[in-house]
Amino acid sequence: MLSGRLVASLVSMAGRVCLSRGSAGAGTVGPVEAAIRAKLEQALSPEVLELRNESGGHAVPPGSETHFRVAVVSSRFEGLSPLQRHRLVHDALSEELAGPVHALAIQARTPAQWRENPQLDTSPPCLGGNKKTRGTP
Amino acid sequence: MRASGRRTWQPRAEASPQVVNRGSGVEGSGEQAGMSGSLGRAAAALLRWGRGAGGGGLRGPGVWAARSSSGGCSAEQLDALVKKDKVVVFLKGTPEQPQCGFSNAVVQILRLHGVRDYAAYNVLDDPELRQGIKDYSNWPTIPQVFLNGEFVGGCDILLQMHQNGDLVEELKKLGIRSILLDEKKDQDSK
């Protein structure tokens, strides 16, 4: 369970990571984000799907769609290990992951698990990556 | 200087970028970690995302010198690599100087548990390895964690295992006692 203090530190950390800059400009949804959402909805029929473009917090150009965080709540995950759940998500997004998406943070929960903690986590701050090969996953 | 999530980490100059590191483990973890109260508090300490693997650039006797590049990443070679050590991680960067927040999270989790002896491979210095390990695991991203030769997952899964106690159990099966157990014992006895 997240304590109040932890939530506060997560929120301030999110501010430092500047997640709000991650979207493809002024709150619009870019094509990659739209594709991710559509494919996950088709593959997993989620009860809840929260998707955040976190590219703005990483060493990539503005407007990028390279780093995402997703929370998927689906009864399809019942009885599956975390690894199996993540593989289901990867399978649905194989094209994006072979293409523009460099990072995908996944929270894959059953409906009961989500009700216990209905929150999209925050990713750790970028540590720069390898700027020599910027743009390579 | 003990590592602390709130201080700026000053990385040491490294002997070589192509280093297979032994995680330097425990330094600084005691002040942050602790299962007292709940694993949530350990997760809170972890989530300050202290950078690097330890304080003051200490290197224990288990640290390897620079290794040559992987020299080919066939499935057989990678299979041997992930089975050579009980705990094997593929990172962007090194435990002393992670270059990715998610890779750093893996380093920090291992540090919290006092796992000192693990093999860490930096994919940023070896493009063949970077792609090869993704093909081998059928997993599209880095970091990747192997326990006892078996692929466990990335940063999200390791964090989940840390939070729900599974990591302590899996380490126990490998004969590695998490220091969080010792701290819990201390707390319980007070």
Coordinates of all heavy atoms in Angstrom, one line a residue, chain B residues 1-4 9 21-33 46 50-64 87 89 91 94-98 104-120 171 176-180 183:
Chain B
M1 N 32.0 7.9 1.3 CA 30.7 8.6 1.4 C 29.6 7.6 1.2 O 29.6 6.8 0.2 CB 30.6 9.7 0.4 CG 29.3 10.1 -0.1 SD 29.4 11.5 -1.2 CE 27.9 11.4 -2.1
R2 N 28.7 7.5 2.1 CA 27.6 6.5 1.9 C 26.6 7.0 0.9 O 26.3 8.2 0.9 CB 26.9 6.3 3.3 CG 27.8 5.6 4.3 CD 27.1 5.6 5.7 NE 25.9 4.9 5.7 CZ 25.8 3.6 5.9 NH1 26.9 2.8 5.9 NH2 24.7 3.0 6.0
A3 N 26.2 6.1 0.1 CA 25.3 6.5 -1.0 C 24.0 6.8 -0.3 O 23.5 6.2 0.6 CB 25.1 5.3 -1.9
S4 N 23.4 7.8 -0.8 CA 22.0 8.2 -0.4 C 21.3 8.7 -1.6 O 21.8 9.4 -2.5 CB 22.1 9.3 0.7 OG 20.9 10.0 0.8
W9 N 25.2 11.7 -6.9 CA 26.2 10.6 -7.0 C 27.3 11.1 -7.9 O 27.1 11.6 -9.0 CB 25.5 9.4 -7.6 CG 26.5 8.3 -8.0 CD1 26.8 7.9 -9.2 CD2 27.2 7.5 -7.1 NE1 27.7 6.8 -9.1 CE2 28.0 6.6 -7.9 CE3 27.4 7.5 -5.7 CZ2 28.8 5.7 -7.3 CZ3 28.2 6.6 -5.1 CH2 28.9 5.7 -5.9
N21 N 30.8 -6.1 -14.3 CA 31.0 -5.7 -12.9 C 30.4 -6.7 -11.9 O 29.4 -7.3 -12.2 CB 30.2 -4.4 -12.7 CG 31.0 -3.2 -13.2 OD1 32.1 -3.0 -12.7 ND2 30.5 -2.6 -14.2
R22 N 31.1 -6.8 -10.8 CA 30.4 -7.4 -9.7 C 29.7 -6.3 -9.0 O 30.3 -5.3 -8.7 CB 31.5 -8.0 -8.7 CG 32.1 -9.2 -9.3 CD 31.2 -10.3 -9.6 NE 31.8 -11.6 -9.8 CZ 31.2 -12.7 -10.2 NH1 29.9 -12.7 -10.5 NH2 31.9 -13.8 -10.4
G23 N 28.4 -6.5 -8.7 CA 27.7 -5.4 -8.0 C 28.4 -5.2 -6.7 O 28.7 -6.1 -6.0
S24 N 28.6 -3.9 -6.4 CA 29.3 -3.7 -5.1 C 28.3 -3.6 -3.9 O 28.7 -3.2 -2.9 CB 30.1 -2.4 -5.2 OG 29.4 -1.4 -5.8
G25 N 27.1 -3.9 -4.2 CA 26.2 -4.3 -3.1 C 25.8 -3.4 -2.0 O 25.1 -2.5 -2.2
V26 N 26.4 -3.7 -0.9 CA 25.7 -3.3 0.4 C 25.8 -1.9 0.8 O 25.0 -1.4 1.5 CB 26.2 -4.2 1.5 CG1 25.4 -3.9 2.8 CG2 26.0 -5.7 1.1
E27 N 26.8 -1.2 0.3 CA 27.1 0.1 1.0 C 25.9 1.0 0.9 O 25.3 1.2 -0.1 CB 28.3 0.8 0.2 CG 29.6 0.0 0.2 CD 29.7 -1.0 -0.9 OE1 28.7 -1.3 -1.5 OE2 30.8 -1.3 -1.2
G28 N 25.6 1.6 2.0 CA 24.6 2.6 2.0 C 23.2 2.1 2.0 O 22.3 2.8 2.2
S29 N 23.1 0.8 1.9 CA 21.7 0.3 1.8 C 21.0 0.3 3.1 O 19.8 0.4 3.2 CB 21.7 -1.1 1.1 OG 22.3 -2.0 2.0
G30 N 21.8 0.1 4.2 CA 21.2 -0.1 5.5 C 20.4 1.1 5.9 O 19.4 1.0 6.6
E31 N 20.8 2.3 5.6 CA 20.1 3.5 6.1 C 18.8 3.7 5.4 O 18.0 4.4 5.8 CB 21.0 4.7 5.9 CG 21.3 5.0 4.4 CD 22.2 6.2 4.2 OE1 22.3 7.0 5.2 OE2 22.7 6.5 3.2
Q32 N 18.7 3.1 4.2 CA 17.5 3.3 3.5 C 16.5 2.1 3.6 O 15.3 2.3 3.7 CB 17.8 3.5 2.0 CG 18.5 4.7 1.7 CD 18.9 4.8 0.2 OE1 19.1 3.8 -0.4 NE2 18.9 6.0 -0.3
A33 N 17.1 0.9 3.6 CA 16.2 -0.2 3.4 C 15.7 -0.7 4.8 O 16.2 -0.2 5.8 CB 17.0 -1.4 2.8
L46 N 13.7 2.8 -2.3 CA 14.1 2.4 -3.6 C 13.7 3.5 -4.6 O 14.5 3.9 -5.5 CB 13.5 1.1 -4.0 CG 13.6 0.7 -5.5 CD1 15.1 0.4 -5.8 CD2 12.8 -0.5 -5.8
G50 N 18.3 6.2 -5.9 CA 19.7 6.5 -5.7 C 20.5 6.0 -6.8 O 20.2 4.9 -7.2
R51 N 21.4 6.8 -7.3 CA 22.1 6.3 -8.5 C 23.3 5.6 -8.1 O 24.0 5.9 -7.1 CB 22.4 7.6 -9.3 CG 23.2 7.3 -10.5 CD 23.4 8.5 -11.4 NE 24.3 8.2 -12.5 CZ 24.4 8.9 -13.6 NH1 23.7 10.0 -13.6 NH2 25.2 8.6 -14.5
G52 N 23.6 4.6 -8.9 CA 24.9 3.9 -8.7 C 24.7 2.8 -7.7 O 23.7 2.7 -7.0
A53 N 25.7 2.0 -7.5 CA 25.6 0.8 -6.7 C 26.1 1.0 -5.3 O 25.9 0.1 -4.5 CB 26.3 -0.3 -7.4
G54 N 26.8 2.0 -5.0 CA 27.3 2.0 -3.6 C 28.0 3.4 -3.4 O 28.1 4.2 -4.2
G55 N 28.4 3.5 -2.1 CA 29.0 4.8 -1.8 C 30.5 4.8 -1.9 O 31.2 3.8 -1.8
G56 N 31.0 6.0 -2.2 CA 32.5 6.2 -2.2 C 33.2 5.4 -3.2 O 34.5 5.3 -3.2
G57 N 32.6 4.8 -4.2 CA 33.3 4.1 -5.2 C 34.0 2.9 -4.7 O 35.1 2.5 -5.2
L58 N 33.5 2.3 -3.6 CA 34.2 1.1 -3.1 C 34.1 0.0 -4.0 O 33.1 -0.3 -4.6 CB 33.6 0.7 -1.7 CG 33.7 1.8 -0.6 CD1 32.9 1.3 0.6 CD2 35.1 1.9 -0.2
R59 N 35.2 -0.7 -4.1 CA 35.2 -1.9 -4.9 C 35.6 -3.1 -4.1 O 36.6 -3.0 -3.5 CB 36.1 -1.8 -6.1 CG 35.5 -1.0 -7.3 CD 36.3 -1.3 -8.6 NE 35.9 -0.6 -9.7 CZ 35.0 -1.0 -10.6 NH1 34.4 -2.2 -10.4 NH2 34.6 -0.3 -11.6
G60 N 34.8 -4.1 -4.0 CA 35.2 -5.3 -3.2 C 36.1 -6.2 -4.0 O 36.4 -6.0 -5.1
P61 N 36.5 -7.2 -3.3 CA 37.5 -8.1 -3.9 C 36.9 -8.9 -5.1 O 37.6 -9.5 -5.9 CB 37.9 -9.0 -2.8 CG 36.8 -8.9 -1.8 CD 36.3 -7.5 -1.9
G62 N 35.6 -8.9 -5.2 CA 35.0 -9.7 -6.2 C 34.9 -9.1 -7.6 O 34.4 -9.6 -8.5
V63 N 35.3 -7.8 -7.6 CA 35.2 -7.1 -8.9 C 36.1 -7.6 -10.0 O 37.3 -7.9 -9.8 CB 35.5 -5.6 -8.7 CG1 35.5 -4.9 -10.0 CG2 34.5 -5.0 -7.8
W64 N 35.5 -7.8 -11.1 CA 36.3 -8.3 -12.3 C 37.0 -7.2 -12.9 O 36.6 -6.0 -13.0 CB 35.4 -9.0 -13.3 CG 34.8 -10.2 -12.8 CD1 35.0 -10.8 -11.5 CD2 33.8 -11.0 -13.4 NE1 34.2 -11.9 -11.4 CE2 33.5 -12.1 -12.6 CE3 33.2 -10.9 -14.7 CZ2 32.5 -13.0 -12.9 CZ3 32.3 -11.9 -15.0 CH2 32.0 -13.0 -14.2
V87 N 23.1 -14.8 -10.4 CA 22.3 -13.6 -10.7 C 23.0 -12.9 -11.9 O 24.2 -12.5 -11.8 CB 22.3 -12.6 -9.5 CG1 21.5 -11.4 -9.9 CG2 21.7 -13.4 -8.3
V89 N 22.5 -9.8 -14.9 CA 21.6 -8.7 -15.4 C 22.3 -8.1 -16.6 O 23.5 -8.0 -16.7 CB 21.4 -7.7 -14.3 CG1 20.7 -8.2 -13.1 CG2 22.7 -7.0 -13.9
L91 N 22.2 -4.6 -18.5 CA 21.9 -3.2 -18.2 C 22.3 -2.3 -19.3 O 23.2 -2.6 -20.1 CB 22.7 -2.8 -16.9 CG 22.5 -3.6 -15.7 CD1 23.5 -3.1 -14.6 CD2 21.1 -3.6 -15.2
T94 N 26.5 0.5 -16.2 CA 27.1 -0.4 -15.2 C 26.5 -0.2 -13.9 O 25.8 0.8 -13.7 CB 28.6 -0.2 -15.1 OG1 28.8 1.1 -14.6 CG2 29.3 -0.3 -16.5
P95 N 26.7 -1.1 -13.0 CA 26.2 -0.9 -11.6 C 26.7 0.4 -11.0 O 26.0 1.0 -10.2 CB 26.6 -2.1 -10.8 CG 26.7 -3.2 -11.9 CD 27.2 -2.5 -13.1
E96 N 28.0 0.7 -11.3 CA 28.5 1.9 -10.7 C 28.0 3.2 -11.4 O 27.9 4.2 -10.8 CB 30.0 1.9 -10.8 CG 30.7 1.1 -9.7 CD 30.6 -0.4 -10.0 OE1 30.4 -0.8 -11.1 OE2 30.7 -1.2 -9.0
Q97 N 27.7 3.0 -12.7 CA 27.2 4.2 -13.4 C 26.1 3.7 -14.4 O 26.3 3.6 -15.6 CB 28.4 4.8 -14.2 CG 28.0 6.2 -14.8 CD 29.2 6.9 -15.4 OE1 30.3 6.3 -15.4 NE2 29.0 8.1 -15.8
P98 N 24.9 3.5 -13.9 CA 23.8 3.2 -14.8 C 23.5 4.3 -15.7 O 23.6 5.5 -15.3 CB 22.7 2.9 -13.8 CG 23.2 2.8 -12.4 CD 24.5 3.6 -12.5
N104 N 19.0 1.3 -13.6 CA 19.4 1.7 -12.2 C 18.4 1.1 -11.2 O 18.9 0.7 -10.1 CB 19.3 3.3 -12.1 CG 19.8 3.7 -10.8 OD1 20.7 3.2 -10.2 ND2 19.2 4.8 -10.2
A105 N 17.2 1.0 -11.5 CA 16.2 0.5 -10.6 C 16.6 -1.0 -10.3 O 16.5 -1.4 -9.1 CB 14.8 0.5 -11.2
V106 N 17.0 -1.7 -11.3 CA 17.5 -3.1 -11.0 C 18.7 -3.1 -10.1 O 18.8 -3.9 -9.1 CB 17.8 -3.8 -12.4 CG1 18.6 -5.1 -12.1 CG2 16.5 -4.1 -13.1
V107 N 19.6 -2.2 -10.4 CA 20.8 -2.1 -9.5 C 20.4 -1.8 -8.1 O 21.0 -2.4 -7.1 CB 21.8 -1.1 -10.1 CG1 22.9 -0.8 -9.1 CG2 22.3 -1.5 -11.4
Q108 N 19.5 -0.9 -7.9 CA 19.1 -0.5 -6.6 C 18.4 -1.6 -5.8 O 18.6 -1.7 -4.6 CB 18.2 0.8 -6.7 CG 18.9 2.0 -7.2 CD 20.2 2.4 -6.5 OE1 20.3 2.3 -5.2 NE2 21.2 2.7 -7.2
I109 N 17.6 -2.3 -6.5 CA 16.9 -3.4 -5.9 C 17.9 -4.5 -5.4 O 17.8 -4.9 -4.2 CB 15.9 -4.1 -6.8 CG1 14.7 -3.1 -7.1 CG2 15.3 -5.4 -6.2 CD1 13.8 -3.6 -8.2
L110 N 18.8 -4.8 -6.2 CA 19.8 -5.8 -5.8 C 20.6 -5.3 -4.6 O 20.9 -6.0 -3.7 CB 20.7 -6.2 -7.0 CG 20.1 -6.9 -8.2 CD1 21.1 -7.1 -9.3 CD2 19.5 -8.2 -7.7
R111 N 20.9 -4.0 -4.7 CA 21.7 -3.4 -3.6 C 20.9 -3.5 -2.3 O 21.4 -3.8 -1.2 CB 22.0 -2.0 -4.0 CG 22.7 -1.2 -3.0 CD 23.2 0.1 -3.7 NE 23.3 1.1 -2.7 CZ 22.4 2.1 -2.5 NH1 21.4 2.3 -3.3 NH2 22.6 3.0 -1.6
L112 N 19.6 -3.2 -2.3 CA 18.8 -3.2 -1.1 C 18.8 -4.6 -0.5 O 18.7 -4.7 0.7 CB 17.3 -2.8 -1.5 CG 17.0 -1.4 -1.5 CD1 15.5 -1.2 -2.0 CD2 17.2 -0.7 -0.2
H113 N 18.9 -5.6 -1.3 CA 18.8 -7.0 -0.8 C 20.2 -7.4 -0.4 O 20.4 -8.6 0.1 CB 18.2 -7.9 -1.8 CG 16.7 -7.8 -1.9 ND1 15.8 -8.5 -1.2 CD2 16.0 -6.9 -2.6 CE1 14.6 -8.1 -1.4 NE2 14.6 -7.1 -2.3
G114 N 21.2 -6.6 -0.7 CA 22.6 -7.0 -0.3 C 23.2 -8.0 -1.3 O 24.1 -8.7 -0.9
V115 N 22.7 -8.1 -2.5 CA 23.3 -9.0 -3.4 C 24.5 -8.4 -4.0 O 24.5 -7.4 -4.7 CB 22.3 -9.3 -4.6 CG1 22.9 -10.3 -5.6 CG2 20.9 -9.9 -4.1
R116 N 25.6 -9.0 -3.6 CA 26.9 -8.4 -4.0 C 27.5 -9.0 -5.2 O 28.2 -8.4 -6.0 CB 27.9 -8.5 -2.9 CG 27.5 -7.8 -1.6 CD 28.6 -8.2 -0.5 NE 29.9 -7.8 -0.9 CZ 30.4 -6.6 -0.7 NH1 29.7 -5.6 -0.2 NH2 31.7 -6.3 -1.0
D117 N 27.3 -10.3 -5.3 CA 27.9 -11.1 -6.4 C 27.0 -11.3 -7.5 O 26.2 -12.3 -7.5 CB 28.4 -12.5 -5.8 CG 29.8 -12.5 -5.6 OD1 30.5 -11.6 -6.0 OD2 30.3 -13.5 -5.0
Y118 N 27.0 -10.4 -8.5 CA 26.2 -10.7 -9.7 C 27.0 -10.2 -10.9 O 27.8 -9.3 -10.8 CB 24.8 -10.1 -9.6 CG 24.8 -8.6 -9.5 CD1 24.6 -7.8 -10.6 CD2 24.8 -7.9 -8.3 CE1 24.5 -6.4 -10.6 CE2 24.8 -6.5 -8.2 CZ 24.6 -5.8 -9.3 OH 24.5 -4.4 -9.3
A119 N 26.7 -10.8 -12.0 CA 27.3 -10.4 -13.3 C 26.4 -9.4 -13.9 O 25.2 -9.6 -14.1 CB 27.5 -11.7 -14.2
A120 N 27.0 -8.3 -14.3 CA 26.3 -7.3 -15.0 C 26.9 -7.0 -16.4 O 28.1 -6.8 -16.4 CB 26.3 -6.0 -14.2
L171 N 15.8 -15.5 -4.0 CA 17.2 -15.4 -3.7 C 17.6 -16.6 -2.7 O 18.7 -17.2 -2.8 CB 17.5 -14.1 -3.0 CG 17.5 -12.9 -4.0 CD1 17.7 -11.6 -3.2 CD2 18.6 -13.0 -5.1
I176 N 21.1 -17.3 -1.5 CA 21.5 -16.0 -1.2 C 20.5 -15.4 -0.1 O 19.3 -15.4 -0.4 CB 21.4 -15.1 -2.4 CG1 22.4 -15.6 -3.5 CG2 21.8 -13.6 -2.1 CD1 22.3 -14.9 -4.8
R177 N 21.0 -15.0 1.0 CA 20.2 -14.5 2.0 C 20.0 -13.0 1.9 O 21.0 -12.3 2.0 CB 20.7 -14.9 3.4 CG 19.8 -14.4 4.5 CD 20.3 -14.8 5.9 NE 19.6 -14.2 7.0 CZ 18.4 -14.5 7.4 NH1 17.8 -15.6 6.9 NH2 17.8 -13.9 8.4
S178 N 18.8 -12.5 1.7 CA 18.6 -11.1 1.5 C 18.9 -10.4 2.9 O 18.5 -10.9 3.9 CB 17.2 -10.8 1.1 OG 16.9 -9.4 1.2
I179 N 19.6 -9.3 2.8 CA 19.9 -8.6 4.1 C 18.6 -8.0 4.7 O 18.6 -7.6 5.8 CB 21.0 -7.5 3.9 CG1 20.5 -6.4 2.9 CG2 22.3 -8.1 3.6 CD1 21.4 -5.2 2.9
L180 N 17.6 -7.9 3.8 CA 16.4 -7.3 4.4 C 15.8 -8.2 5.4 O 15.1 -7.8 6.4 CB 15.4 -7.1 3.3 CG 15.7 -6.0 2.2 CD1 14.6 -5.9 1.2 CD2 16.0 -4.7 2.9
E183 N 17.5 -7.3 8.6 CA 17.1 -6.1 9.2 C 15.7 -6.2 9.8 O 15.4 -5.7 10.8 CB 17.0 -5.0 8.1 CG 18.4 -4.6 7.7 CD 18.5 -3.7 6.5 OE1 17.4 -3.2 6.1 OE2 19.6 -3.4 6.0

